[in-house]
Short mmCIF file of all heavy atoms in Angstrom, two decimals:
data_model
loop_
_atom_site.label_atom_id
_atom_site.label_comp_id
_atom_site.label_asym_id
_atom_site.label_seq_id
_atom_site.Cartn_x
_atom_site.Cartn_y
_atom_site.Cartn_z
N MET A 1 41.28 243.77 171.71
CA MET A 1 40.95 245.09 172.31
C MET A 1 41.88 245.24 173.51
O MET A 1 42.17 244.45 174.24
CB MET A 1 39.49 245.07 172.77
CG MET A 1 39.10 246.30 173.54
SD MET A 1 37.47 246.38 174.03
CE MET A 1 36.69 247.02 172.64
N ARG A 2 42.37 246.53 173.72
CA ARG A 2 43.25 246.96 174.80
C ARG A 2 42.54 247.62 175.88
O ARG A 2 41.35 248.16 175.69
CB ARG A 2 44.26 247.85 174.29
CG ARG A 2 45.21 247.25 173.26
CD ARG A 2 46.24 246.33 173.84
NE ARG A 2 46.93 245.65 172.89
CZ ARG A 2 47.41 244.35 173.22
NH1 ARG A 2 47.27 243.90 174.36
NH2 ARG A 2 48.17 243.80 172.24
N CYS A 3 43.01 247.61 177.06
CA CYS A 3 42.50 248.29 178.28
C CYS A 3 42.40 249.80 177.97
O CYS A 3 43.30 250.25 177.42
CB CYS A 3 43.34 247.88 179.43
SG CYS A 3 42.70 248.73 180.95
N HIS A 4 41.29 250.27 178.52
CA HIS A 4 41.17 251.80 178.34
C HIS A 4 42.23 252.51 179.18
O HIS A 4 42.59 253.69 178.75
CB HIS A 4 39.75 252.11 178.86
CG HIS A 4 39.51 253.61 178.92
ND1 HIS A 4 39.21 254.23 177.71
CD2 HIS A 4 39.30 254.50 179.93
CE1 HIS A 4 38.96 255.59 178.07
NE2 HIS A 4 38.90 255.62 179.38
N TYR A 5 42.81 251.98 180.21
CA TYR A 5 43.69 252.60 181.11
C TYR A 5 45.15 252.36 180.84
O TYR A 5 46.01 253.02 181.34
CB TYR A 5 43.27 252.31 182.56
CG TYR A 5 41.91 252.86 182.96
CD1 TYR A 5 40.89 252.09 183.09
CD2 TYR A 5 41.77 254.12 183.27
CE1 TYR A 5 39.57 252.50 183.37
CE2 TYR A 5 40.59 254.68 183.61
CZ TYR A 5 39.47 253.86 183.58
OH TYR A 5 38.25 254.33 183.97
N CYS A 6 45.45 251.12 180.24
CA CYS A 6 46.76 250.71 180.04
C CYS A 6 46.93 250.03 178.77
O CYS A 6 45.97 249.93 177.99
CB CYS A 6 47.27 249.90 181.24
SG CYS A 6 46.49 248.20 181.38
N ASP A 7 48.02 249.37 178.38
CA ASP A 7 48.22 248.69 177.11
C ASP A 7 48.01 247.27 177.15
O ASP A 7 48.16 246.54 176.21
CB ASP A 7 49.66 248.96 176.63
CG ASP A 7 49.69 248.75 175.15
OD1 ASP A 7 48.74 248.95 174.35
OD2 ASP A 7 50.82 248.37 174.62
N ARG A 8 47.55 246.75 178.28
CA ARG A 8 47.27 245.32 178.49
C ARG A 8 46.02 244.83 177.54
O ARG A 8 45.21 245.69 177.32
CB ARG A 8 47.10 244.89 179.91
CG ARG A 8 48.33 244.90 180.66
CD ARG A 8 48.18 244.38 182.13
NE ARG A 8 47.56 245.54 182.83
CZ ARG A 8 47.97 245.98 184.02
NH1 ARG A 8 49.08 245.52 184.59
NH2 ARG A 8 47.45 247.02 184.54
N GLU A 9 45.96 243.59 177.34
CA GLU A 9 44.86 243.07 176.69
C GLU A 9 43.52 243.14 177.59
O GLU A 9 43.67 242.90 178.74
CB GLU A 9 45.06 241.55 176.41
CG GLU A 9 43.89 240.84 175.60
CD GLU A 9 43.81 241.32 174.20
OE1 GLU A 9 44.75 241.87 173.72
OE2 GLU A 9 42.60 241.26 173.67
N ALA A 10 42.36 243.54 177.06
CA ALA A 10 41.26 243.77 177.83
C ALA A 10 40.63 242.41 178.13
O ALA A 10 40.46 241.54 177.22
CB ALA A 10 40.21 244.68 177.08
N ALA A 11 40.24 242.18 179.26
CA ALA A 11 39.57 240.94 179.73
C ALA A 11 38.10 240.99 179.78
O ALA A 11 37.37 240.10 179.48
CB ALA A 11 40.04 240.52 181.17
N PHE A 12 37.64 242.32 179.75
CA PHE A 12 36.20 242.61 179.80
C PHE A 12 35.92 243.83 178.87
O PHE A 12 36.87 244.70 178.76
CB PHE A 12 35.68 242.94 181.25
CG PHE A 12 35.87 241.74 182.18
CD1 PHE A 12 36.98 241.68 182.79
CD2 PHE A 12 34.83 240.79 182.28
CE1 PHE A 12 37.18 240.59 183.74
CE2 PHE A 12 35.02 239.69 183.18
CZ PHE A 12 36.25 239.56 183.82
N ALA A 13 34.69 243.89 178.26
CA ALA A 13 34.45 245.03 177.53
C ALA A 13 32.98 245.45 177.86
O ALA A 13 32.17 244.69 178.19
CB ALA A 13 34.55 244.79 176.03
N VAL A 14 32.82 246.85 177.90
CA VAL A 14 31.53 247.40 178.00
C VAL A 14 31.09 248.14 176.84
O VAL A 14 31.95 248.88 176.28
CB VAL A 14 31.51 248.35 179.23
CG1 VAL A 14 30.14 248.92 179.48
CG2 VAL A 14 31.86 247.58 180.61
N GLU A 15 29.86 248.05 176.34
CA GLU A 15 29.43 248.65 175.08
C GLU A 15 28.00 249.45 175.51
O GLU A 15 27.24 248.84 176.04
CB GLU A 15 29.14 247.71 174.03
CG GLU A 15 28.76 248.28 172.67
CD GLU A 15 28.72 247.28 171.66
OE1 GLU A 15 28.89 246.10 171.84
OE2 GLU A 15 28.40 247.74 170.49
N LYS A 16 28.07 250.64 175.02
CA LYS A 16 26.84 251.33 175.07
C LYS A 16 26.83 252.38 173.81
O LYS A 16 27.82 252.99 173.57
CB LYS A 16 26.73 252.22 176.43
CG LYS A 16 25.48 252.93 176.48
CD LYS A 16 25.33 253.71 177.84
CE LYS A 16 24.04 254.38 177.97
NZ LYS A 16 23.82 255.10 179.07
N ASP A 17 25.64 252.44 173.20
CA ASP A 17 25.39 253.40 172.05
C ASP A 17 26.43 253.02 171.03
O ASP A 17 27.06 253.98 170.50
CB ASP A 17 25.36 254.60 172.52
CG ASP A 17 24.25 255.04 173.44
OD1 ASP A 17 23.14 254.35 173.31
OD2 ASP A 17 24.41 255.98 174.27
N ARG A 18 26.76 251.77 170.83
CA ARG A 18 27.90 251.44 169.81
C ARG A 18 29.27 251.85 170.21
O ARG A 18 30.20 251.80 169.36
CB ARG A 18 27.51 251.93 168.41
CG ARG A 18 26.20 251.19 167.87
CD ARG A 18 25.95 251.40 166.44
NE ARG A 18 25.25 252.69 166.44
CZ ARG A 18 24.99 253.42 165.35
NH1 ARG A 18 25.40 252.93 164.26
NH2 ARG A 18 24.37 254.52 165.44
N MET A 19 29.48 252.23 171.34
CA MET A 19 30.85 252.60 171.78
C MET A 19 31.35 251.45 172.88
O MET A 19 30.60 251.13 173.79
CB MET A 19 31.04 253.97 172.56
CG MET A 19 32.31 254.31 173.06
SD MET A 19 32.54 255.90 173.61
CE MET A 19 32.75 256.62 172.08
N LYS A 20 32.43 250.85 172.50
CA LYS A 20 33.08 249.79 173.34
C LYS A 20 34.23 250.23 174.05
O LYS A 20 35.19 250.76 173.40
CB LYS A 20 33.19 248.56 172.46
CG LYS A 20 33.33 247.27 173.11
CD LYS A 20 33.28 246.18 171.93
CE LYS A 20 32.77 244.83 172.68
NZ LYS A 20 32.90 243.81 171.67
N VAL A 21 34.36 249.88 175.32
CA VAL A 21 35.56 250.25 176.10
C VAL A 21 35.95 248.91 176.82
O VAL A 21 35.09 248.23 177.48
CB VAL A 21 35.23 251.25 177.18
CG1 VAL A 21 36.44 251.53 178.11
CG2 VAL A 21 34.79 252.55 176.53
N GLY A 22 37.30 248.64 176.84
CA GLY A 22 37.87 247.42 177.40
C GLY A 22 38.56 247.75 178.77
O GLY A 22 39.12 248.79 178.84
N LEU A 23 38.57 246.70 179.63
CA LEU A 23 39.38 246.77 180.78
C LEU A 23 40.11 245.57 181.03
O LEU A 23 39.60 244.47 180.83
CB LEU A 23 38.44 247.06 182.02
CG LEU A 23 37.72 248.34 182.09
CD1 LEU A 23 36.76 248.41 183.16
CD2 LEU A 23 38.66 249.63 182.18
N CYS A 24 41.32 245.73 181.50
CA CYS A 24 42.10 244.44 181.90
C CYS A 24 41.55 244.11 183.30
O CYS A 24 40.84 244.85 183.92
CB CYS A 24 43.49 244.81 181.94
SG CYS A 24 44.10 245.98 183.21
N GLU A 25 41.99 242.92 183.80
CA GLU A 25 41.45 242.41 185.07
C GLU A 25 41.91 243.42 186.27
O GLU A 25 41.00 243.70 186.97
CB GLU A 25 42.00 240.95 185.39
CG GLU A 25 41.20 239.97 184.46
CD GLU A 25 41.49 238.60 184.82
OE1 GLU A 25 41.65 238.34 186.05
OE2 GLU A 25 41.68 237.75 183.95
N GLN A 26 43.05 243.87 186.27
CA GLN A 26 43.47 244.75 187.28
C GLN A 26 42.70 245.95 187.28
O GLN A 26 42.16 246.47 188.43
CB GLN A 26 44.96 245.16 187.12
CG GLN A 26 45.44 246.11 188.20
CD GLN A 26 46.89 246.62 187.93
OE1 GLN A 26 47.66 245.98 187.29
NE2 GLN A 26 47.25 247.75 188.57
N HIS A 27 42.43 246.68 186.20
CA HIS A 27 41.67 248.01 186.19
C HIS A 27 40.12 247.65 186.42
O HIS A 27 39.49 248.50 186.95
CB HIS A 27 41.87 248.69 185.01
CG HIS A 27 43.27 249.48 184.88
ND1 HIS A 27 44.24 249.02 184.09
CD2 HIS A 27 43.74 250.45 185.79
CE1 HIS A 27 45.33 249.84 184.45
NE2 HIS A 27 44.96 250.68 185.34
N LEU A 28 39.67 246.48 186.01
CA LEU A 28 38.26 246.21 186.34
C LEU A 28 38.08 246.14 187.82
O LEU A 28 37.15 246.59 188.37
CB LEU A 28 37.91 244.95 185.67
CG LEU A 28 36.45 244.38 185.99
CD1 LEU A 28 35.45 245.34 185.43
CD2 LEU A 28 36.31 243.00 185.48
N ARG A 29 39.02 245.37 188.54
CA ARG A 29 38.97 245.24 189.93
C ARG A 29 39.02 246.57 190.62
O ARG A 29 38.31 246.86 191.53
CB ARG A 29 40.11 244.36 190.42
CG ARG A 29 39.89 242.94 190.13
CD ARG A 29 41.12 242.09 190.59
NE ARG A 29 41.16 240.78 189.91
CZ ARG A 29 40.58 239.64 190.43
NH1 ARG A 29 39.86 239.83 191.53
NH2 ARG A 29 40.68 238.54 189.83
N GLU A 30 39.97 247.49 190.08
CA GLU A 30 39.98 248.82 190.73
C GLU A 30 38.71 249.59 190.58
O GLU A 30 38.29 250.28 191.44
CB GLU A 30 41.32 249.53 190.13
CG GLU A 30 42.55 249.05 190.52
CD GLU A 30 43.73 249.68 189.82
OE1 GLU A 30 43.44 250.74 189.05
OE2 GLU A 30 44.76 249.28 189.91
N ARG A 31 38.19 249.54 189.45
CA ARG A 31 36.89 250.28 189.17
C ARG A 31 35.76 249.68 189.89
O ARG A 31 34.90 250.43 190.54
CB ARG A 31 36.56 250.17 187.60
CG ARG A 31 37.46 250.85 186.74
CD ARG A 31 37.72 252.39 186.82
NE ARG A 31 38.70 252.81 187.74
CZ ARG A 31 40.10 252.73 187.79
NH1 ARG A 31 40.56 252.35 186.60
NH2 ARG A 31 40.82 253.18 188.80
N MET A 32 35.74 248.29 190.21
CA MET A 32 34.63 247.74 191.00
C MET A 32 34.81 248.06 192.47
O MET A 32 33.81 248.27 193.13
CB MET A 32 34.74 246.22 190.82
CG MET A 32 34.51 245.74 189.44
SD MET A 32 32.79 246.07 188.82
CE MET A 32 31.95 244.78 189.57
N ARG A 33 36.13 248.15 192.92
CA ARG A 33 36.19 248.67 194.31
C ARG A 33 35.81 250.13 194.50
O ARG A 33 35.11 250.43 195.45
CB ARG A 33 37.65 248.57 194.78
CG ARG A 33 38.13 247.14 195.19
CD ARG A 33 39.48 247.22 195.89
NE ARG A 33 40.62 247.52 194.92
CZ ARG A 33 41.17 246.69 194.23
NH1 ARG A 33 41.07 245.38 194.28
NH2 ARG A 33 42.30 247.05 193.49
N GLU A 34 36.08 250.96 193.50
CA GLU A 34 35.58 252.40 193.62
C GLU A 34 34.12 252.28 193.62
O GLU A 34 33.47 253.19 194.36
CB GLU A 34 36.12 253.05 192.31
CG GLU A 34 37.63 253.38 192.51
CD GLU A 34 38.05 253.98 191.22
OE1 GLU A 34 37.37 254.43 190.31
OE2 GLU A 34 39.43 254.14 191.11
N LEU A 35 33.48 251.60 192.70
CA LEU A 35 32.00 251.56 192.70
C LEU A 35 31.43 251.13 194.00
O LEU A 35 30.50 251.61 194.53
CB LEU A 35 31.48 250.67 191.53
CG LEU A 35 31.59 251.30 190.18
CD1 LEU A 35 31.32 250.22 189.19
CD2 LEU A 35 30.77 252.56 189.88
N ALA A 36 32.00 250.04 194.55
CA ALA A 36 31.50 249.44 195.82
C ALA A 36 31.68 250.48 197.03
O ALA A 36 30.80 250.72 197.72
CB ALA A 36 32.30 248.29 196.12
N ASP A 37 32.77 251.30 196.97
CA ASP A 37 32.98 252.30 197.99
C ASP A 37 32.01 253.41 197.86
O ASP A 37 31.52 254.01 198.80
CB ASP A 37 34.45 252.82 197.89
CG ASP A 37 35.43 251.80 198.28
OD1 ASP A 37 35.10 250.90 198.96
OD2 ASP A 37 36.65 252.00 197.93
N ALA A 38 31.59 253.74 196.66
CA ALA A 38 30.71 254.78 196.35
C ALA A 38 29.22 254.32 196.34
O ALA A 38 28.36 255.12 196.20
CB ALA A 38 30.99 255.39 194.89
N GLN A 39 29.02 253.03 196.59
CA GLN A 39 27.71 252.47 196.67
C GLN A 39 26.92 252.71 195.39
O GLN A 39 25.68 252.96 195.45
CB GLN A 39 26.92 252.84 197.98
CG GLN A 39 27.62 252.47 199.18
CD GLN A 39 26.91 252.88 200.46
OE1 GLN A 39 25.95 253.61 200.41
NE2 GLN A 39 27.35 252.47 201.61
N ALA A 40 27.58 252.69 194.27
CA ALA A 40 26.88 252.99 192.91
C ALA A 40 26.51 251.79 192.25
O ALA A 40 25.94 251.88 191.15
CB ALA A 40 28.03 253.68 192.07
N PHE A 41 26.45 250.55 192.89
CA PHE A 41 26.00 249.41 192.18
C PHE A 41 24.51 249.45 191.77
O PHE A 41 24.07 248.78 190.95
CB PHE A 41 26.33 248.04 192.95
CG PHE A 41 27.66 247.66 192.79
CD1 PHE A 41 28.63 247.84 193.83
CD2 PHE A 41 28.22 247.18 191.62
CE1 PHE A 41 29.91 247.25 193.73
CE2 PHE A 41 29.46 246.66 191.44
CZ PHE A 41 30.38 246.82 192.53
N GLY A 42 23.81 250.18 192.59
CA GLY A 42 22.29 250.24 192.27
C GLY A 42 22.02 250.87 190.94
O GLY A 42 20.97 250.66 190.33
N ALA A 43 22.89 251.63 190.40
CA ALA A 43 22.79 252.30 189.17
C ALA A 43 23.26 251.56 187.93
O ALA A 43 22.88 251.88 186.79
CB ALA A 43 23.48 253.64 189.08
N LEU A 44 23.73 250.37 188.09
CA LEU A 44 24.22 249.46 187.06
C LEU A 44 23.03 248.68 186.39
O LEU A 44 22.18 248.34 187.16
CB LEU A 44 25.18 248.43 187.60
CG LEU A 44 26.63 249.06 187.96
CD1 LEU A 44 27.43 247.95 188.57
CD2 LEU A 44 27.38 249.65 186.77
N PRO A 45 23.10 248.49 185.15
CA PRO A 45 21.96 247.72 184.52
C PRO A 45 21.97 246.33 184.89
O PRO A 45 23.13 245.82 185.26
CB PRO A 45 22.25 247.96 183.07
CG PRO A 45 23.62 248.57 182.93
CD PRO A 45 24.01 249.08 184.17
N ASP A 46 20.99 245.53 184.87
CA ASP A 46 20.86 244.22 185.23
C ASP A 46 21.65 243.33 184.28
O ASP A 46 22.07 242.23 184.68
CB ASP A 46 19.36 243.82 185.39
CG ASP A 46 18.65 244.37 186.45
OD1 ASP A 46 19.30 244.69 187.56
OD2 ASP A 46 17.41 244.65 186.38
N GLY A 47 21.69 243.61 183.08
CA GLY A 47 22.18 242.74 182.15
C GLY A 47 23.62 242.96 181.73
O GLY A 47 23.93 243.28 180.58
N LEU A 48 24.60 242.95 182.60
CA LEU A 48 26.00 243.05 182.32
C LEU A 48 26.54 241.80 181.70
O LEU A 48 26.37 240.76 182.23
CB LEU A 48 26.73 243.49 183.59
CG LEU A 48 26.47 244.80 184.21
CD1 LEU A 48 27.18 244.91 185.56
CD2 LEU A 48 26.62 245.99 183.28
N ASP A 49 27.23 241.91 180.60
CA ASP A 49 27.86 240.84 179.93
C ASP A 49 29.40 240.92 179.89
O ASP A 49 29.82 242.08 179.75
CB ASP A 49 27.48 240.73 178.43
CG ASP A 49 25.97 240.39 178.29
OD1 ASP A 49 25.47 239.69 179.21
OD2 ASP A 49 25.34 240.90 177.33
N SER A 50 30.10 239.94 180.11
CA SER A 50 31.60 239.95 179.97
C SER A 50 31.89 239.60 178.59
O SER A 50 31.13 239.03 177.78
CB SER A 50 32.22 238.91 180.98
OG SER A 50 31.81 237.64 180.60
N LYS A 51 33.19 239.83 178.24
CA LYS A 51 33.62 239.78 176.86
C LYS A 51 33.81 238.31 176.44
O LYS A 51 33.96 237.43 177.22
CB LYS A 51 35.04 240.34 176.79
CG LYS A 51 35.70 240.29 175.37
CD LYS A 51 36.95 240.90 175.43
CE LYS A 51 37.96 240.38 174.33
NZ LYS A 51 39.27 240.63 174.48
#
């Protein structure tokens, strides 16, 4: 699986309603920083799984 934002190999994948999206480590870190800045972690489900 490839990263949703670039062509690198995905290190993590998120799946919801049978749709799966992958992220490389760099883009995962960037998205996590954005979420932390937006204080959106409270909206994340408890059962997050890595690839």
Side-chain angles (χ1 to χ4, degrees):
M1 173 177 279
R2 297 285 173 205
C3 177
H4 177 73
Y5 296 100
C6 67
D7 197 34
R8 287 183 280 238
E9 183 68 26
F12 300 90
V14 176
E15 184 174 0
K16 183 175 181 182
D17 299 330
R18 292 186 277 170
M19 177 170 283
K20 200 171 200 178
V21 176
L23 294 173
C24 66
E25 287 190 38
Q26 177 184 340
H27 283 113
L28 175 67
R29 290 178 194 273
E30 289 175 9
R31 300 295 85 82
M32 295 297 278
R33 277 193 294 268
E34 288 174 9
L35 287 171
D37 290 344
Q39 298 179 356
F41 280 109
L44 291 175
D46 290 331
L48 295 177
D49 295 325
S50 64
K51 178 182 159 195

